[in-house]
């Protein structure tokens, strides 16, 4: 079994440790002192920070006499939380935000998205390069556009590999109508999406018309991605794209709201076939293929 996202595992572990503590009616200071660690270390663990202290986790399980089955799940999550994926070494160069998405994609069984731009997982190198260079102020001094483009290409390779996740993107029509790069680059990008969907049945792209009447008038306020994993806890996560940072939710009540919204959007989106036809027609309008019948 492919291990799920280290970030998601740390978040689950932190919630489980907090739940354990509350079940025993213990304040953080008291528990930390009892197992010989600082309150700050316990807080870092409960908040899902990088590299959970295995000795701290084990000490808590011992002190609270956690049952064998629950202890195994907790210790497995602690070990998974230490995993260092390929994105860790290149986070500064590829961009911290992209590294976060690579982490969330790791081990995902199903990824569903609503986007207002061409999804990063389906971008061509040319389109990705144009977008990454369009707003240099968003990146730090170590950011390398070439490394970022290569990272997106690698994420796409993992998506399309045998055993990769099921993937479904609902693209708002505004992303089709508004050129986010040179028309020729955008046209090639749309043709690329069509080709990927034709070759890979695990990938589905559907367009949400600007005229779609969404139930309850629940028009999305921003782009988001939903991840489902195959771990024993059947973990889920949502990443919401904002201008300055990405918001990550793993609480079931919060995740459920996005799953429900995705269902409403999907019910009103164009069919797979109609979406592909729209992408082909738009690409031809932007940059006609030489020799194609008029």
């Amino acid at each position: 079994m492919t291990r799920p996202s280290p970030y998601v595992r740390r978040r689950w572990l932190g919630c489980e440790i907090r739940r354990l503590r509350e079940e025993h009616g213990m304040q953080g200071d008291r528990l930390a002192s009892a197992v010989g660690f600082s309150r700050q270390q316990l807080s870092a663990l409960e908040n899902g920070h990088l590299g959970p202290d295995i000795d701290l986790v084990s000490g808590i399980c011992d002190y609270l006499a956690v049952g064998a089955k629950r202890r195994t799940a907790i210790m497995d999550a602690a070990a998974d939380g230490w995993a260092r994926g390929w994105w860790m070494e290149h986070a500064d160069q590829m961009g911290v935000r992209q590294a976060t998405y690579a982490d969330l994609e790791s081990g995902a069984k199903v990824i569903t998205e609503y986007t207002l731009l061409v999804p990063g997982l389906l971008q061509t190198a040319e389109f990705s390069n144009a977008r990454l260079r369009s707003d240099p102020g968003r990146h730090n001094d170590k950011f390398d556009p070439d490394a970022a483009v290569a990272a997106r290409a690698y994420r796409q390779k993992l998506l399309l590999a045998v055993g990769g996740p099921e993937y479904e993107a609902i693209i708002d029509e505004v992303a089709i109508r508004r050129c986010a790069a040179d028309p020729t680059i955008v046209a090639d990008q749309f043709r690329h999406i069509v080709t990927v969907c034709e070759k890979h049945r695990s990938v589905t792209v559907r367009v949400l018309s600007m005229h779609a009447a969404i139930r309850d008038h629940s028009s999305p306020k921003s782009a988001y991605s939903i991840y489902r994993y195959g771990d024993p806890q059947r973990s889920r996560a949502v990443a919401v794209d904002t201008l300055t940072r990405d918001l990550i939710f793993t609480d079931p009540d919060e995740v459920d709201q996005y799953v429900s919204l995705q269902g409403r959007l999907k019910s009103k989106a164009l069919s797979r076939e109609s979406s592909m036809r729209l992408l082909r027609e738009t690409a031809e309008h932007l940059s006609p293929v030489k020799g194609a019948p008029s």
Side-chain angles (χ1 to χ4, degrees):
M1 180 186 74
T2 302
R3 293 295 185 184
S5 158
Y7 177 90
V8 172
R9 292 295 271 164
R10 291 195 302 272
R11 287 287 289 265
W12 180 85
L13 174 64
C15 290
E16 187 68 3
I17 294 298
R18 185 180 298 110
R19 190 178 298 116
L20 263 175
R21 177 169 60 76
E22 292 173 348
E23 287 172 5
H24 288 78
M26 297 192 71
Q27 295 295 321
D29 290 341
R30 180 184 166 196
L31 179 58
S33 177
V35 296
F37 285 82
S38 70
R39 182 66 178 91
Q40 290 75 16
Q41 288 171 297
L42 178 59
S43 294
L45 173 61
E46 292 188 353
N47 290 324
H49 291 175
L50 188 62
D53 191 305
I54 302 297
D55 290 337
L56 171 57
V57 177
S58 180
I60 291 172
C61 288
D62 289 341
Y63 184 75
L64 299 180
V66 176
K69 184 176 181 181
R70 192 174 188 183
R71 181 190 179 106
T72 297
I74 288 172
M75 296 308 298
D76 284 349
D80 292 343
W82 264 104
R84 293 184 60 84
W86 63 270
W87 56 88
M88 295 288 291
E89 184 179 351
H90 309 286
D92 286 335
Q93 291 77 26
M94 67 189 284
V96 173
R97 295 182 71 171
Q98 184 177 188
T100 298
Y101 280 97
D103 188 325
L104 293 170
E105 290 156 11
S106 175
K109 297 299 181 182
V110 180
I111 301 173
T112 54
E113 297 187 306
Y114 165 75
T115 70
L116 292 156
L117 190 68
V118 173
L121 279 169
L122 297 180
Q123 290 182 10
T124 63
E126 292 76 16
F127 184 89
S128 183
N129 185 61
R131 294 303 308 159
L132 288 167
R133 294 180 186 276
S134 66
D135 189 5
R138 295 183 64 183
H139 308 296
N140 61 36
D141 293 339
K142 296 181 180 179
F143 178 75
D144 180 352
D146 292 335
V149 171
R152 283 193 177 173
Y154 187 64
R155 289 167 58 208
Q156 186 171 152
K157 180 180 178 180
L158 294 176
L159 171 72
L160 303 179
V162 175
E166 293 182 25
Y167 177 78
E168 180 178 81
I170 295 177
I171 303 178
D172 199 293
E173 188 179 355
V174 68
I176 311 300
R177 301 303 181 190
R178 181 178 296 150
C179 269
D182 179 87
T184 301
I185 292 176
V186 175
D188 289 342
Q189 171 65 74
F190 292 161
R191 293 185 178 107
H192 174 71
I193 292 175
V194 172
T195 298
V196 169
C197 290
E198 289 176 343
K199 289 184 176 180
H200 300 271
R201 298 305 297 178
S202 60
V203 177
T204 301
V205 171
R206 300 175 64 181
V207 176
L208 181 67
S209 170
M210 290 185 289
H211 303 293
I214 305 167
R215 182 164 57 86
D216 299 329
H217 306 286
S218 50
S219 180
K221 296 178 175 61
S222 57
Y224 58 82
S225 306
I226 305 171
Y227 305 87
R228 295 176 174 86
Y229 304 93
D231 59 318
Q233 291 75 36
R234 306 190 71 80
S235 301
R236 300 175 301 166
V238 172
V240 181
D241 185 5
T242 75
L243 180 63
T244 56
R245 63 191 180 100
D246 299 294
L247 305 177
I248 313 297
F249 303 110
T250 56
D251 180 271
D253 291 337
E254 293 176 307
V255 173
D256 282 344
Q257 294 185 50
Y258 283 93
V259 171
S260 176
L261 175 57
Q262 186 76 358
R264 296 195 293 276
L265 300 184
K266 183 176 179 179
S267 70
K268 294 300 181 179
L270 299 177
S271 67
R272 180 185 179 118
E273 294 73 20
S274 295
S275 298
M276 294 300 99
R277 183 164 55 250
L278 175 59
L279 288 171
R280 289 192 195 94
E281 292 174 350
T282 305
E284 185 62 19
H285 173 74
L286 289 170
S287 180
V289 176
K290 294 181 179 179
S294 58

